[in-house]
Amino acid sequence: MAEQGRCCDLGASGEQGGAPHWEKSLGTYVGCFSDDGHERTLKGAVFYDLRKMTVSHCQDACAERSYVYAGLEAGAECYCGNRLPATSVGLEECSHECKGEKGSVCGAVDRLSVYRVDELQPGSRKRRTATYRGCFRLPENITHAFPSSLIQANVTVETCSGFCSQKEFPLAILRGWECYCAYPTPQFNLRDAMDSSLCGQDPEAQRLAEYCEVYQTPVQDTRCTDRRFLPNKSKVFVALSSFPGAGNTWARHLIEHATGFYTGSYYFDGTLYNKGFKGEKDHWRSRRTICVKTHESGRREIEMFDSAILLIRNPYRSLVAEFNRKCAGHLGYAADRNWKSKEWPDFVNSYASWWSSHVLDWLKYGKRLLVVHYEELRRSLVPTLREMVAFLNVSVSEERLLCVENNKEGSFRRRGRRSHDPEPFTPEMKDLINGYIRTVDKALRDHNWTGLPREYVPR
């Protein structure tokens, strides 16, 4: 959690007096608050930075996402939300220095330094806007499905999105001059979009119709953001195993938000810890996490686990993803010079066989397996994730799974432009990889699993 930061003028709100003033302040300092972590108030967006957390970094992140408050805790953690924590405490209790800013305060353990950031000058920050999700048929019981509403003449998308964002709803729904706020639910799951022309009528006609326009607001669906370590050590030691580049980090994001429990890792990756994977710092054998990420293969490493989710991805995609990661980190792209150098063919010759042996070893030595194909998880997220969660022996509500689906991307899409040829594989590389695909496909069938998805097979 965070410590405390550079503050500016208290302004009219002045909710907790006596706060110091700093030159680099942006938002209005509100005060120091208690936060026990069990039921957070500021839980709309969360991130950590063990080395570089600053007050302005946290304020920027929350303001960009249209939140009212930014809270810093334990020197390295940032939380965003639209409601203040209930319990304020003395300023002296927020005493940890920000990891990236000497002399600034970022809360303390279970203490939040809170700033109001909604008054930041509009020109100084790029605020995220609402994203159009589609035209949908209204649910039967609007009052039950849409908990909050705003009725006013000439209501706009921006007005409706702002209203719903303030109330921390991820969906803003327009029907004529009626604005509703909601979460995805089994009754309104956004799976069956209608033709957009059905929502393109004038406001009066649209109000009388049974269709509505749905927009994603900038705020996060918070019904599935709470996570913690297991209250008791797990009796079953579960691996989340994959070849590098197969989407393991994304699968961990889905599992954590679906189950409410942190995942662990055989490795330590500070970048992932900073993105909210608190299990990264936990020892991988602590048994305090719901499952443990591993890329390891070989009998000894596999037999340490009681069971495993084996995540498999198209090797062509995995190889490109892992090469990008090795050259440019989790969210970057390898440069043209990397693809054109000897580095790329050497990488393919070395890693393609590992893609195959990784699956073969887990099929051979794994005690209890659930095979999950990355492509199927992408294509059919809720049913596949439901199967994964059941394998982990956790009961999850349908609403929580829909929340995960609504937050499915997390922070794991690569940014920027791909700089390489979209087809970097030579005929020789394809021959090599296709041979491994056939081998793995046969092995899966021999172990009574469905073979590889058809899109893997030789192209």
Side-chain angles (χ1 to χ4, degrees), residues 240-255 277 293 295 311-314 317-318 321-322 372 374-375 377-378 388 412 414:
L240 175 62
S241 178
S242 73
F243 175 77
N248 198 302
T249 300
W250 180 59
R252 289 176 68 188
H253 164 78
L254 298 176
I255 290 169
F277 289 95
K293 165 189 174 175
H295 299 312
L311 183 64
I312 305 173
R313 187 183 185 185
N314 187 321
R317 302 283 188 185
S318 289
E322 177 60 7
V372 174
Y374 171 90
E375 292 76 14
L377 185 57
R378 274 270 175 215
M388 294 165 69
F412 309 109
R414 295 187 185 278

PDB file of all heavy atoms in Angstrom, residues 240-255 277 293 295 311-314 317-318 321-322 372 374-375 377-378 388 412 414:
ATOM      1  N   LEU A 240       0.398 -24.046 -13.013  1.00  0.00           N
ATOM      2  CA  LEU A 240      -0.146 -23.489 -14.253  1.00  0.00           C
ATOM      3  C   LEU A 240       1.028 -23.513 -15.213  1.00  0.00           C
ATOM      4  O   LEU A 240       1.899 -22.643 -15.198  1.00  0.00           O
ATOM      5  CB  LEU A 240      -0.670 -22.071 -14.050  1.00  0.00           C
ATOM      6  CG  LEU A 240      -1.155 -21.358 -15.318  1.00  0.00           C
ATOM      7  CD1 LEU A 240      -2.335 -22.098 -15.941  1.00  0.00           C
ATOM      8  CD2 LEU A 240      -1.537 -19.906 -15.024  1.00  0.00           C
ATOM      9  N   SER A 241       1.069 -24.554 -16.013  1.00  0.00           N
ATOM     10  CA  SER A 241       2.255 -24.829 -16.821  1.00  0.00           C
ATOM     11  C   SER A 241       2.028 -24.466 -18.283  1.00  0.00           C
ATOM     12  O   SER A 241       0.972 -24.740 -18.852  1.00  0.00           O
ATOM     13  CB  SER A 241       2.613 -26.315 -16.712  1.00  0.00           C
ATOM     14  OG  SER A 241       3.720 -26.613 -17.527  1.00  0.00           O
ATOM     15  N   SER A 242       3.043 -23.859 -18.865  1.00  0.00           N
ATOM     16  CA  SER A 242       2.968 -23.539 -20.293  1.00  0.00           C
ATOM     17  C   SER A 242       4.365 -23.315 -20.841  1.00  0.00           C
ATOM     18  O   SER A 242       5.308 -23.048 -20.091  1.00  0.00           O
ATOM     19  CB  SER A 242       2.135 -22.272 -20.524  1.00  0.00           C
ATOM     20  OG  SER A 242       2.868 -21.126 -20.113  1.00  0.00           O
ATOM     21  N   PHE A 243       4.479 -23.396 -22.137  1.00  0.00           N
ATOM     22  CA  PHE A 243       5.677 -22.951 -22.835  1.00  0.00           C
ATOM     23  C   PHE A 243       5.688 -21.422 -22.784  1.00  0.00           C
ATOM     24  O   PHE A 243       4.615 -20.796 -22.772  1.00  0.00           O
ATOM     25  CB  PHE A 243       5.600 -23.450 -24.290  1.00  0.00           C
ATOM     26  CG  PHE A 243       6.716 -22.970 -25.162  1.00  0.00           C
ATOM     27  CD1 PHE A 243       7.971 -23.544 -25.077  1.00  0.00           C
ATOM     28  CD2 PHE A 243       6.506 -21.964 -26.098  1.00  0.00           C
ATOM     29  CE1 PHE A 243       9.008 -23.112 -25.895  1.00  0.00           C
ATOM     30  CE2 PHE A 243       7.533 -21.514 -26.916  1.00  0.00           C
ATOM     31  CZ  PHE A 243       8.790 -22.104 -26.816  1.00  0.00           C
ATOM     32  N   PRO A 244       6.860 -20.775 -22.723  1.00  0.00           N
ATOM     33  CA  PRO A 244       6.881 -19.305 -22.719  1.00  0.00           C
ATOM     34  C   PRO A 244       6.151 -18.741 -23.945  1.00  0.00           C
ATOM     35  O   PRO A 244       6.231 -19.286 -25.039  1.00  0.00           O
ATOM     36  CB  PRO A 244       8.381 -18.983 -22.784  1.00  0.00           C
ATOM     37  CG  PRO A 244       9.053 -20.165 -22.177  1.00  0.00           C
ATOM     38  CD  PRO A 244       8.216 -21.352 -22.594  1.00  0.00           C
ATOM     39  N   GLY A 245       5.449 -17.652 -23.741  1.00  0.00           N
ATOM     40  CA  GLY A 245       4.733 -17.021 -24.855  1.00  0.00           C
ATOM     41  C   GLY A 245       3.371 -17.610 -25.123  1.00  0.00           C
ATOM     42  O   GLY A 245       2.713 -17.260 -26.107  1.00  0.00           O
ATOM     43  N   ALA A 246       2.910 -18.505 -24.229  1.00  0.00           N
ATOM     44  CA  ALA A 246       1.625 -19.181 -24.452  1.00  0.00           C
ATOM     45  C   ALA A 246       0.469 -18.520 -23.719  1.00  0.00           C
ATOM     46  O   ALA A 246      -0.630 -19.054 -23.696  1.00  0.00           O
ATOM     47  CB  ALA A 246       1.731 -20.648 -24.043  1.00  0.00           C
ATOM     48  N   GLY A 247       0.701 -17.353 -23.107  1.00  0.00           N
ATOM     49  CA  GLY A 247      -0.388 -16.660 -22.437  1.00  0.00           C
ATOM     50  C   GLY A 247      -0.522 -16.971 -20.958  1.00  0.00           C
ATOM     51  O   GLY A 247      -1.586 -16.780 -20.373  1.00  0.00           O
ATOM     52  N   ASN A 248       0.552 -17.428 -20.308  1.00  0.00           N
ATOM     53  CA  ASN A 248       0.492 -17.794 -18.903  1.00  0.00           C
ATOM     54  C   ASN A 248       0.112 -16.603 -18.022  1.00  0.00           C
ATOM     55  O   ASN A 248      -0.730 -16.726 -17.127  1.00  0.00           O
ATOM     56  CB  ASN A 248       1.845 -18.374 -18.458  1.00  0.00           C
ATOM     57  CG  ASN A 248       1.765 -19.163 -17.169  1.00  0.00           C
ATOM     58  OD1 ASN A 248       1.351 -18.644 -16.151  1.00  0.00           O
ATOM     59  ND2 ASN A 248       2.171 -20.420 -17.214  1.00  0.00           N
ATOM     60  N   THR A 249       0.712 -15.440 -18.292  1.00  0.00           N
ATOM     61  CA  THR A 249       0.418 -14.248 -17.490  1.00  0.00           C
ATOM     62  C   THR A 249      -1.046 -13.844 -17.627  1.00  0.00           C
ATOM     63  O   THR A 249      -1.713 -13.502 -16.642  1.00  0.00           O
ATOM     64  CB  THR A 249       1.325 -13.078 -17.914  1.00  0.00           C
ATOM     65  OG1 THR A 249       2.690 -13.460 -17.712  1.00  0.00           O
ATOM     66  CG2 THR A 249       1.037 -11.828 -17.093  1.00  0.00           C
ATOM     67  N   TRP A 250      -1.561 -13.912 -18.843  1.00  0.00           N
ATOM     68  CA  TRP A 250      -2.965 -13.572 -19.064  1.00  0.00           C
ATOM     69  C   TRP A 250      -3.870 -14.577 -18.348  1.00  0.00           C
ATOM     70  O   TRP A 250      -4.862 -14.192 -17.725  1.00  0.00           O
ATOM     71  CB  TRP A 250      -3.271 -13.539 -20.559  1.00  0.00           C
ATOM     72  CG  TRP A 250      -4.696 -13.199 -20.870  1.00  0.00           C
ATOM     73  CD1 TRP A 250      -5.352 -12.055 -20.520  1.00  0.00           C
ATOM     74  CD2 TRP A 250      -5.642 -14.010 -21.581  1.00  0.00           C
ATOM     75  NE1 TRP A 250      -6.651 -12.103 -20.986  1.00  0.00           N
ATOM     76  CE2 TRP A 250      -6.853 -13.280 -21.632  1.00  0.00           C
ATOM     77  CE3 TRP A 250      -5.575 -15.267 -22.186  1.00  0.00           C
ATOM     78  CZ2 TRP A 250      -7.994 -13.782 -22.264  1.00  0.00           C
ATOM     79  CZ3 TRP A 250      -6.710 -15.755 -22.820  1.00  0.00           C
ATOM     80  CH2 TRP A 250      -7.894 -15.025 -22.852  1.00  0.00           C
ATOM     81  N   ALA A 251      -3.517 -15.864 -18.417  1.00  0.00           N
ATOM     82  CA  ALA A 251      -4.309 -16.886 -17.716  1.00  0.00           C
ATOM     83  C   ALA A 251      -4.284 -16.650 -16.209  1.00  0.00           C
ATOM     84  O   ALA A 251      -5.297 -16.834 -15.519  1.00  0.00           O
ATOM     85  CB  ALA A 251      -3.780 -18.275 -18.044  1.00  0.00           C
ATOM     86  N   ARG A 252      -3.148 -16.229 -15.675  1.00  0.00           N
ATOM     87  CA  ARG A 252      -3.063 -15.911 -14.238  1.00  0.00           C
ATOM     88  C   ARG A 252      -3.996 -14.755 -13.892  1.00  0.00           C
ATOM     89  O   ARG A 252      -4.675 -14.775 -12.858  1.00  0.00           O
ATOM     90  CB  ARG A 252      -1.625 -15.542 -13.858  1.00  0.00           C
ATOM     91  CG  ARG A 252      -0.660 -16.702 -13.857  1.00  0.00           C
ATOM     92  CD  ARG A 252       0.757 -16.219 -13.571  1.00  0.00           C
ATOM     93  NE  ARG A 252       0.906 -15.733 -12.206  1.00  0.00           N
ATOM     94  CZ  ARG A 252       1.996 -15.121 -11.751  1.00  0.00           C
ATOM     95  NH1 ARG A 252       3.022 -14.912 -12.574  1.00  0.00           N
ATOM     96  NH2 ARG A 252       2.066 -14.716 -10.514  1.00  0.00           N
ATOM     97  N   HIS A 253      -4.028 -13.740 -14.732  1.00  0.00           N
ATOM     98  CA  HIS A 253      -4.937 -12.611 -14.527  1.00  0.00           C
ATOM     99  C   HIS A 253      -6.381 -13.101 -14.437  1.00  0.00           C
ATOM    100  O   HIS A 253      -7.133 -12.706 -13.526  1.00  0.00           O
ATOM    101  CB  HIS A 253      -4.775 -11.616 -15.690  1.00  0.00           C
ATOM    102  CG  HIS A 253      -5.888 -10.632 -15.817  1.00  0.00           C
ATOM    103  ND1 HIS A 253      -6.016  -9.521 -15.016  1.00  0.00           N
ATOM    104  CD2 HIS A 253      -6.945 -10.600 -16.681  1.00  0.00           C
ATOM    105  CE1 HIS A 253      -7.105  -8.847 -15.366  1.00  0.00           C
ATOM    106  NE2 HIS A 253      -7.684  -9.475 -16.375  1.00  0.00           N
ATOM    107  N   LEU A 254      -6.778 -13.972 -15.350  1.00  0.00           N
ATOM    108  CA  LEU A 254      -8.143 -14.494 -15.358  1.00  0.00           C
ATOM    109  C   LEU A 254      -8.424 -15.332 -14.115  1.00  0.00           C
ATOM    110  O   LEU A 254      -9.473 -15.188 -13.476  1.00  0.00           O
ATOM    111  CB  LEU A 254      -8.369 -15.339 -16.613  1.00  0.00           C
ATOM    112  CG  LEU A 254      -8.232 -14.636 -17.975  1.00  0.00           C
ATOM    113  CD1 LEU A 254      -8.398 -15.646 -19.104  1.00  0.00           C
ATOM    114  CD2 LEU A 254      -9.253 -13.505 -18.124  1.00  0.00           C
ATOM    115  N   ILE A 255      -7.487 -16.213 -13.763  1.00  0.00           N
ATOM    116  CA  ILE A 255      -7.677 -17.097 -12.599  1.00  0.00           C
ATOM    117  C   ILE A 255      -7.767 -16.288 -11.314  1.00  0.00           C
ATOM    118  O   ILE A 255      -8.621 -16.546 -10.451  1.00  0.00           O
ATOM    119  CB  ILE A 255      -6.535 -18.133 -12.523  1.00  0.00           C
ATOM    120  CG1 ILE A 255      -6.672 -19.151 -13.666  1.00  0.00           C
ATOM    121  CG2 ILE A 255      -6.523 -18.835 -11.174  1.00  0.00           C
ATOM    122  CD1 ILE A 255      -5.455 -20.047 -13.834  1.00  0.00           C
ATOM    123  N   PHE A 277       0.491  -8.636  -9.452  1.00  0.00           N
ATOM    124  CA  PHE A 277       0.634 -10.064  -9.133  1.00  0.00           C
ATOM    125  C   PHE A 277       1.433 -10.207  -7.831  1.00  0.00           C
ATOM    126  O   PHE A 277       2.633 -10.463  -7.849  1.00  0.00           O
ATOM    127  CB  PHE A 277       1.325 -10.804 -10.279  1.00  0.00           C
ATOM    128  CG  PHE A 277       0.478 -10.960 -11.501  1.00  0.00           C
ATOM    129  CD1 PHE A 277       0.572 -10.056 -12.547  1.00  0.00           C
ATOM    130  CD2 PHE A 277      -0.433 -12.002 -11.616  1.00  0.00           C
ATOM    131  CE1 PHE A 277      -0.213 -10.187 -13.677  1.00  0.00           C
ATOM    132  CE2 PHE A 277      -1.225 -12.152 -12.744  1.00  0.00           C
ATOM    133  CZ  PHE A 277      -1.115 -11.235 -13.779  1.00  0.00           C
ATOM    134  N   LYS A 293       2.736 -20.566 -11.492  1.00  0.00           N
ATOM    135  CA  LYS A 293       3.220 -20.493 -12.872  1.00  0.00           C
ATOM    136  C   LYS A 293       4.555 -21.216 -13.012  1.00  0.00           C
ATOM    137  O   LYS A 293       5.450 -21.059 -12.184  1.00  0.00           O
ATOM    138  CB  LYS A 293       3.419 -19.021 -13.267  1.00  0.00           C
ATOM    139  CG  LYS A 293       4.248 -18.809 -14.524  1.00  0.00           C
ATOM    140  CD  LYS A 293       4.579 -17.342 -14.713  1.00  0.00           C
ATOM    141  CE  LYS A 293       5.524 -17.123 -15.883  1.00  0.00           C
ATOM    142  NZ  LYS A 293       5.750 -15.679 -16.147  1.00  0.00           N
ATOM    143  N   HIS A 295       7.292 -22.747 -16.383  1.00  0.00           N
ATOM    144  CA  HIS A 295       7.607 -23.133 -17.767  1.00  0.00           C
ATOM    145  C   HIS A 295       8.496 -24.378 -17.770  1.00  0.00           C
ATOM    146  O   HIS A 295       8.966 -24.808 -18.827  1.00  0.00           O
ATOM    147  CB  HIS A 295       8.345 -22.004 -18.500  1.00  0.00           C
ATOM    148  CG  HIS A 295       7.564 -20.731 -18.615  1.00  0.00           C
ATOM    149  ND1 HIS A 295       6.263 -20.699 -19.045  1.00  0.00           N
ATOM    150  CD2 HIS A 295       7.917 -19.441 -18.369  1.00  0.00           C
ATOM    151  CE1 HIS A 295       5.840 -19.441 -19.050  1.00  0.00           C
ATOM    152  NE2 HIS A 295       6.818 -18.667 -18.639  1.00  0.00           N
ATOM    153  N   LEU A 311      -1.421 -25.275 -20.255  1.00  0.00           N
ATOM    154  CA  LEU A 311      -1.881 -24.285 -21.231  1.00  0.00           C
ATOM    155  C   LEU A 311      -1.042 -24.404 -22.501  1.00  0.00           C
ATOM    156  O   LEU A 311       0.185 -24.272 -22.462  1.00  0.00           O
ATOM    157  CB  LEU A 311      -1.750 -22.885 -20.632  1.00  0.00           C
ATOM    158  CG  LEU A 311      -2.243 -21.705 -21.458  1.00  0.00           C
ATOM    159  CD1 LEU A 311      -3.751 -21.785 -21.699  1.00  0.00           C
ATOM    160  CD2 LEU A 311      -1.891 -20.387 -20.750  1.00  0.00           C
ATOM    161  N   ILE A 312      -1.716 -24.649 -23.623  1.00  0.00           N
ATOM    162  CA  ILE A 312      -1.018 -24.848 -24.893  1.00  0.00           C
ATOM    163  C   ILE A 312      -1.467 -23.778 -25.887  1.00  0.00           C
ATOM    164  O   ILE A 312      -2.667 -23.509 -26.015  1.00  0.00           O
ATOM    165  CB  ILE A 312      -1.315 -26.244 -25.486  1.00  0.00           C
ATOM    166  CG1 ILE A 312      -0.966 -27.340 -24.472  1.00  0.00           C
ATOM    167  CG2 ILE A 312      -0.545 -26.456 -26.779  1.00  0.00           C
ATOM    168  CD1 ILE A 312      -1.388 -28.743 -24.920  1.00  0.00           C
ATOM    169  N   ARG A 313      -0.500 -23.213 -26.607  1.00  0.00           N
ATOM    170  CA  ARG A 313      -0.819 -22.215 -27.632  1.00  0.00           C
ATOM    171  C   ARG A 313      -0.136 -22.593 -28.941  1.00  0.00           C
ATOM    172  O   ARG A 313       0.919 -23.240 -28.947  1.00  0.00           O
ATOM    173  CB  ARG A 313      -0.336 -20.830 -27.181  1.00  0.00           C
ATOM    174  CG  ARG A 313      -0.767 -19.696 -28.098  1.00  0.00           C
ATOM    175  CD  ARG A 313      -0.203 -18.358 -27.636  1.00  0.00           C
ATOM    176  NE  ARG A 313      -0.715 -17.254 -28.437  1.00  0.00           N
ATOM    177  CZ  ARG A 313      -0.324 -15.992 -28.321  1.00  0.00           C
ATOM    178  NH1 ARG A 313       0.605 -15.674 -27.418  1.00  0.00           N
ATOM    179  NH2 ARG A 313      -0.840 -15.051 -29.084  1.00  0.00           N
ATOM    180  N   ASN A 314      -0.733 -22.185 -30.035  1.00  0.00           N
ATOM    181  CA  ASN A 314      -0.149 -22.383 -31.361  1.00  0.00           C
ATOM    182  C   ASN A 314       1.346 -22.016 -31.319  1.00  0.00           C
ATOM    183  O   ASN A 314       1.695 -20.899 -30.941  1.00  0.00           O
ATOM    184  CB  ASN A 314      -0.886 -21.478 -32.351  1.00  0.00           C
ATOM    185  CG  ASN A 314      -0.486 -21.711 -33.783  1.00  0.00           C
ATOM    186  OD1 ASN A 314       0.681 -21.945 -34.087  1.00  0.00           O
ATOM    187  ND2 ASN A 314      -1.452 -21.628 -34.677  1.00  0.00           N
ATOM    188  N   ARG A 317       2.483 -18.707 -32.868  1.00  0.00           N
ATOM    189  CA  ARG A 317       2.158 -17.528 -32.059  1.00  0.00           C
ATOM    190  C   ARG A 317       3.035 -17.460 -30.805  1.00  0.00           C
ATOM    191  O   ARG A 317       3.487 -16.383 -30.408  1.00  0.00           O
ATOM    192  CB  ARG A 317       0.693 -17.574 -31.630  1.00  0.00           C
ATOM    193  CG  ARG A 317      -0.291 -17.655 -32.784  1.00  0.00           C
ATOM    194  CD  ARG A 317      -0.476 -16.325 -33.447  1.00  0.00           C
ATOM    195  NE  ARG A 317      -1.543 -16.351 -34.435  1.00  0.00           N
ATOM    196  CZ  ARG A 317      -1.863 -15.349 -35.228  1.00  0.00           C
ATOM    197  NH1 ARG A 317      -1.171 -14.224 -35.156  1.00  0.00           N
ATOM    198  NH2 ARG A 317      -2.836 -15.450 -36.098  1.00  0.00           N
ATOM    199  N   SER A 318       3.254 -18.606 -30.175  1.00  0.00           N
ATOM    200  CA  SER A 318       4.070 -18.640 -28.954  1.00  0.00           C
ATOM    201  C   SER A 318       5.498 -18.193 -29.227  1.00  0.00           C
ATOM    202  O   SER A 318       6.085 -17.433 -28.447  1.00  0.00           O
ATOM    203  CB  SER A 318       4.091 -20.058 -28.368  1.00  0.00           C
ATOM    204  OG  SER A 318       2.853 -20.404 -27.827  1.00  0.00           O
ATOM    205  N   ALA A 321       5.579 -14.442 -29.729  1.00  0.00           N
ATOM    206  CA  ALA A 321       5.333 -13.750 -28.462  1.00  0.00           C
ATOM    207  C   ALA A 321       6.561 -13.805 -27.549  1.00  0.00           C
ATOM    208  O   ALA A 321       6.940 -12.803 -26.935  1.00  0.00           O
ATOM    209  CB  ALA A 321       4.126 -14.361 -27.755  1.00  0.00           C
ATOM    210  N   GLU A 322       7.186 -14.978 -27.452  1.00  0.00           N
ATOM    211  CA  GLU A 322       8.340 -15.110 -26.575  1.00  0.00           C
ATOM    212  C   GLU A 322       9.548 -14.355 -27.121  1.00  0.00           C
ATOM    213  O   GLU A 322      10.327 -13.767 -26.354  1.00  0.00           O
ATOM    214  CB  GLU A 322       8.677 -16.596 -26.373  1.00  0.00           C
ATOM    215  CG  GLU A 322       9.910 -16.873 -25.526  1.00  0.00           C
ATOM    216  CD  GLU A 322       9.845 -16.324 -24.099  1.00  0.00           C
ATOM    217  OE1 GLU A 322       8.779 -15.816 -23.684  1.00  0.00           O
ATOM    218  OE2 GLU A 322      10.874 -16.397 -23.405  1.00  0.00           O
ATOM    219  N   VAL A 372      -5.725 -27.041 -21.485  1.00  0.00           N
ATOM    220  CA  VAL A 372      -6.471 -25.868 -21.946  1.00  0.00           C
ATOM    221  C   VAL A 372      -5.735 -25.272 -23.140  1.00  0.00           C
ATOM    222  O   VAL A 372      -4.528 -25.042 -23.080  1.00  0.00           O
ATOM    223  CB  VAL A 372      -6.582 -24.804 -20.826  1.00  0.00           C
ATOM    224  CG1 VAL A 372      -7.221 -23.521 -21.360  1.00  0.00           C
ATOM    225  CG2 VAL A 372      -7.383 -25.348 -19.655  1.00  0.00           C
ATOM    226  N   TYR A 374      -5.059 -22.131 -25.457  1.00  0.00           N
ATOM    227  CA  TYR A 374      -5.131 -20.671 -25.386  1.00  0.00           C
ATOM    228  C   TYR A 374      -6.204 -20.132 -26.325  1.00  0.00           C
ATOM    229  O   TYR A 374      -6.986 -19.250 -25.953  1.00  0.00           O
ATOM    230  CB  TYR A 374      -3.759 -20.096 -25.743  1.00  0.00           C
ATOM    231  CG  TYR A 374      -3.711 -18.603 -25.918  1.00  0.00           C
ATOM    232  CD1 TYR A 374      -3.432 -17.774 -24.832  1.00  0.00           C
ATOM    233  CD2 TYR A 374      -3.926 -18.010 -27.162  1.00  0.00           C
ATOM    234  CE1 TYR A 374      -3.375 -16.392 -24.995  1.00  0.00           C
ATOM    235  CE2 TYR A 374      -3.880 -16.626 -27.326  1.00  0.00           C
ATOM    236  CZ  TYR A 374      -3.602 -15.832 -26.241  1.00  0.00           C
ATOM    237  OH  TYR A 374      -3.549 -14.468 -26.401  1.00  0.00           O
ATOM    238  N   GLU A 375      -6.258 -20.668 -27.518  1.00  0.00           N
ATOM    239  CA  GLU A 375      -7.216 -20.180 -28.520  1.00  0.00           C
ATOM    240  C   GLU A 375      -8.659 -20.420 -28.082  1.00  0.00           C
ATOM    241  O   GLU A 375      -9.542 -19.587 -28.323  1.00  0.00           O
ATOM    242  CB  GLU A 375      -6.960 -20.850 -29.870  1.00  0.00           C
ATOM    243  CG  GLU A 375      -5.644 -20.456 -30.532  1.00  0.00           C
ATOM    244  CD  GLU A 375      -4.419 -21.120 -29.911  1.00  0.00           C
ATOM    245  OE1 GLU A 375      -4.590 -22.096 -29.135  1.00  0.00           O
ATOM    246  OE2 GLU A 375      -3.289 -20.679 -30.202  1.00  0.00           O
ATOM    247  N   LEU A 377      -9.632 -20.591 -24.927  1.00  0.00           N
ATOM    248  CA  LEU A 377      -9.854 -19.662 -23.829  1.00  0.00           C
ATOM    249  C   LEU A 377     -10.212 -18.284 -24.373  1.00  0.00           C
ATOM    250  O   LEU A 377     -11.085 -17.597 -23.848  1.00  0.00           O
ATOM    251  CB  LEU A 377      -8.599 -19.593 -22.952  1.00  0.00           C
ATOM    252  CG  LEU A 377      -8.668 -18.762 -21.670  1.00  0.00           C
ATOM    253  CD1 LEU A 377      -9.789 -19.238 -20.748  1.00  0.00           C
ATOM    254  CD2 LEU A 377      -7.325 -18.793 -20.939  1.00  0.00           C
ATOM    255  N   ARG A 378      -9.545 -17.884 -25.444  1.00  0.00           N
ATOM    256  CA  ARG A 378      -9.858 -16.615 -26.103  1.00  0.00           C
ATOM    257  C   ARG A 378     -11.263 -16.632 -26.703  1.00  0.00           C
ATOM    258  O   ARG A 378     -12.030 -15.682 -26.572  1.00  0.00           O
ATOM    259  CB  ARG A 378      -8.858 -16.348 -27.233  1.00  0.00           C
ATOM    260  CG  ARG A 378      -7.605 -15.666 -26.781  1.00  0.00           C
ATOM    261  CD  ARG A 378      -7.777 -14.175 -26.862  1.00  0.00           C
ATOM    262  NE  ARG A 378      -6.630 -13.480 -26.334  1.00  0.00           N
ATOM    263  CZ  ARG A 378      -6.692 -12.332 -25.674  1.00  0.00           C
ATOM    264  NH1 ARG A 378      -7.851 -11.783 -25.413  1.00  0.00           N
ATOM    265  NH2 ARG A 378      -5.617 -11.735 -25.251  1.00  0.00           N
ATOM    266  N   MET A 388     -11.676 -24.341 -15.683  1.00  0.00           N
ATOM    267  CA  MET A 388     -10.401 -24.174 -14.980  1.00  0.00           C
ATOM    268  C   MET A 388     -10.618 -23.947 -13.490  1.00  0.00           C
ATOM    269  O   MET A 388      -9.919 -24.521 -12.636  1.00  0.00           O
ATOM    270  CB  MET A 388      -9.629 -22.998 -15.599  1.00  0.00           C
ATOM    271  CG  MET A 388      -9.178 -23.239 -17.032  1.00  0.00           C
ATOM    272  SD  MET A 388      -8.663 -21.717 -17.880  1.00  0.00           S
ATOM    273  CE  MET A 388      -7.155 -21.310 -17.011  1.00  0.00           C
ATOM    274  N   PHE A 412      -2.280  -6.586 -20.494  1.00  0.00           N
ATOM    275  CA  PHE A 412      -1.329  -7.508 -21.096  1.00  0.00           C
ATOM    276  C   PHE A 412      -1.317  -7.514 -22.614  1.00  0.00           C
ATOM    277  O   PHE A 412      -0.827  -8.444 -23.222  1.00  0.00           O
ATOM    278  CB  PHE A 412      -1.576  -8.923 -20.547  1.00  0.00           C
ATOM    279  CG  PHE A 412      -1.629  -8.899 -19.057  1.00  0.00           C
ATOM    280  CD1 PHE A 412      -2.815  -9.085 -18.378  1.00  0.00           C
ATOM    281  CD2 PHE A 412      -0.489  -8.607 -18.332  1.00  0.00           C
ATOM    282  CE1 PHE A 412      -2.863  -9.003 -17.006  1.00  0.00           C
ATOM    283  CE2 PHE A 412      -0.531  -8.529 -16.949  1.00  0.00           C
ATOM    284  CZ  PHE A 412      -1.706  -8.727 -16.287  1.00  0.00           C
ATOM    285  N   ARG A 414       0.273  -6.084 -25.994  1.00  0.00           N
ATOM    286  CA  ARG A 414       1.477  -5.362 -26.392  1.00  0.00           C
ATOM    287  C   ARG A 414       1.083  -4.025 -26.994  1.00  0.00           C
ATOM    288  O   ARG A 414       0.093  -3.920 -27.707  1.00  0.00           O
ATOM    289  CB  ARG A 414       2.283  -6.176 -27.414  1.00  0.00           C
ATOM    290  CG  ARG A 414       2.807  -7.468 -26.807  1.00  0.00           C
ATOM    291  CD  ARG A 414       3.746  -8.215 -27.734  1.00  0.00           C
ATOM    292  NE  ARG A 414       4.098  -9.477 -27.107  1.00  0.00           N
ATOM    293  CZ  ARG A 414       5.041  -9.622 -26.191  1.00  0.00           C
ATOM    294  NH1 ARG A 414       5.738  -8.586 -25.825  1.00  0.00           N
ATOM    295  NH2 ARG A 414       5.275 -10.791 -25.640  1.00  0.00           N
TER     296      ARG A 414
END
